[in-house]
Amino acid sequence: MDNLNEVLKFYESGVEKGRLERGLGIIEFYRTKEILKKYITSSNNIIYDVGGGIGVYSSWLSEMDNTVHLLELAPSAVKYALENQKLTNPFIAEVCDARNINRPNESADIVLLMGPLYHLQNPKDRMKVLNECYRVLKKDGILFSVGISKFSTTTWALSTYGSTNELLGENEFMNMIEKELTTGNHIRPKEYPYLITQAYFHDPLELQSEVESAGFKTINKHAIEGTIWFTPNLNEKWKNPEIRTRLLNILKITENEDSIMGMSPHFMIISKK
C-alpha cells in the first residue's frame, strides 16, 4: 500500500477519539448501529472488527455478548481501545494489517470492514482485504463493508457545510475534488490538514462489484447518513425527538435507493459468504 505511512500517521495522531460523539459523527454512529442491528440479531457471534479504530463498535458489540476481535493497523488506537474498554464483556484487540488477517480460515461469523477499503487506493490491495475476509468467514458468514462516496467532498462543499468558506474559489480544492470525481482517489493537499488523509472514494455500485468479485453475495446496501446529512442545523434538530423521528423516516424510505445512495457520505454493503 503506497499510502500506508500517511494513513498510519493520520490515525496515530488520535483523530478518532471522540469523532463519533460530535457533529455528523453522531448521526453516523447512530445509523451504523441501527443498520448492524438489522442483521446481527443474535448473540454469541465471533466478530472480527477489521480496521475498527479505537474500538467504539467493538465495545458496543461485545456488550451484546459477542466475542469481538478488534484488528487495527494503528498501534496507538489498539492501545487506547484496550485501556478504555469496559471491564465487563471485554474484547480482544491487536495490531493487524487488513490485507493479512492473522486469524484461521472460517473462524468468524461476522466481519466488519468499516475503514480499510477507503484507505486503499490500489485495487489489488482492496481485493487482498476482501479475499482475506472471505477466507476467515464461516460459510453463510456476513460481511459489512463501508465505503466513502466519491461525491462526498463535493457535496459537502456545495451544501450548508460549505456556506462559511470560499473553497470553490480555491484551485487546490478544485483540483482535489476533480480527481475524486474522475478517479476516486482522494489526495489531500497540505492546505487542508483537517480533511481525511489519502483515501479511495467509491460509488456504491463500484463497491458492491468489488465485494462480489471476491465471491460474496450481496444481501442489501444502505446509505448511512443518507439524504439528511446536509440538513441545516442538523445536530440541533437531531436533539428534538419528534424531528429526529421524521428525519429518520425520510432516511429509511430512501436508504436503499441506488439512484441517490452516492449522496450519502458513507454507505454500507451487506453481503454473505
Side-chain angles (χ1 to χ4, degrees), residues 15-26 28 118 266:
V15 294
E16 283 294 293
K17 296 175 184 177
R19 184 183 70 82
L20 297 175
E21 300 170 8
R22 59 181 180 266
L24 196 56
I26 295 171
E28 177 190 342
Y118 54 73
H266 297 87

Side-chain angles (χ1 to χ4, degrees), residues 20 83 133 202 206 231 237 262:
L20 297 175
E83 290 175 349
C133 291
H202 288 84
E206 177 190 20
T231 303
K237 291 180 169 121

Side-chain angles (χ1 to χ4, degrees), residues 28-40:
E28 177 190 342
F29 187 42
Y30 181 97
R31 278 285 298 154
T32 300
K33 291 192 295 182
E34 187 175 59
I35 295 168
L36 291 175
K37 283 190 290 187
K38 288 177 182 286
Y39 302 93
I40 305 176

Side-chain angles (χ1 to χ4, degrees), residues 207-253:
L207 180 57
Q208 179 181 348
S209 177
E210 289 185 358
V211 172
E212 290 177 350
S213 69
F216 290 97
K217 296 178 181 178
T218 299
I219 299 171
N220 209 343
K221 52 184 179 287
H222 297 262
I224 294 178
E225 304 91 344
T227 54
I228 70 166
W229 72 275
F230 43 75
T231 303
N233 303 312
L234 175 58
N235 286 109
E236 289 303 312
K237 291 180 169 121
W238 189 257
K239 295 174 184 176
N240 182 316
E242 183 179 353
I243 298 299
R244 180 193 299 189
T245 298
R246 293 183 177 188
L247 287 167
L248 287 169
N249 188 49
I250 292 169
L251 208 164
K252 288 170 184 176
I253 290 170

Side-chain angles (χ1 to χ4, degrees), residues 258-269:
D258 280 330
S259 58
I260 59 172
M261 190 170 295
M263 292 183 70
S264 180
H266 297 87
F267 44 80
M268 184 184 294
I269 311 294

Side-chain angles (χ1 to χ4, degrees), residues 60-259:
W60 173 66
L61 289 164
S62 67
E63 289 170 11
M64 297 162 57
D65 294 322
N66 296 293
T67 300
V68 182
H69 300 228
L70 171 64
L71 306 172
E72 161 60 33
L73 181 67
S76 65
V78 172
K79 183 175 183 290
Y80 182 89
L82 288 171
E83 290 175 349
N84 290 275
Q85 68 173 321
K86 296 180 180 178
L87 295 178
T88 55
N89 300 99
F91 54 85
I92 298 162
E94 57 188 64
V95 176
C96 176
D97 186 327
R99 297 170 299 171
N100 183 22
I101 300 173
N102 51 346
R103 290 296 183 272
N105 295 349
E106 300 185 348
S107 54
D109 300 295
I110 294 163
V111 172
L112 306 185
L113 197 57
M114 303 198 298
L117 292 180
Y118 54 73
H119 281 305
L120 295 164
Q121 293 178 337
N122 187 328
K124 291 182 179 179
D125 283 324
R126 295 198 296 274
M127 285 309 304
K128 285 181 181 178
V129 173
L130 289 166
N131 288 333
E132 277 292 272
C133 291
Y134 193 90
R135 178 184 66 79
V136 300
L137 271 169
K138 300 175 183 177
K139 180 174 171 32
D140 295 323
I142 298 177
L143 174 67
F144 296 90
S145 305
V146 170
I148 293 179
S149 171
K150 68 190 296 183
F151 311 110
S152 59
T153 315
T154 303
T155 49
W156 176 79
L158 293 172
S159 74
T160 182
Y161 292 95
S163 63
T164 58
N165 59 57
E166 300 296 330
L167 290 172
L168 294 175
E170 298 175 10
N171 291 334
E172 295 83 0
F173 188 83
M174 288 302 300
N175 290 338
M176 179 187 73
I177 63 173
E178 285 176 12
K179 186 173 287 292
E180 292 171 8
L181 292 170
T182 56
T183 70
N185 287 324
H186 164 74
I187 301 173
R188 181 185 63 186
K190 65 180 184 302
E191 289 84 359
Y192 311 110
Y194 53 86
L195 295 179
I196 191 171
T197 189
Q198 323 304 55
Y200 185 79
F201 295 167
H202 288 84
D203 69 54
L205 291 176
E206 177 190 20
L207 180 57
Q208 179 181 348
S209 177
E210 289 185 358
V211 172
E212 290 177 350
S213 69
F216 290 97
K217 296 178 181 178
T218 299
I219 299 171
N220 209 343
K221 52 184 179 287
H222 297 262
I224 294 178
E225 304 91 344
T227 54
I228 70 166
W229 72 275
F230 43 75
T231 303
N233 303 312
L234 175 58
N235 286 109
E236 289 303 312
K237 291 180 169 121
W238 189 257
K239 295 174 184 176
N240 182 316
E242 183 179 353
I243 298 299
R244 180 193 299 189
T245 298
R246 293 183 177 188
L247 287 167
L248 287 169
N249 188 49
I250 292 169
L251 208 164
K252 288 170 184 176
I253 290 170
T254 59
E255 67 178 323
N256 306 121
E257 291 283 347
D258 280 330
S259 58

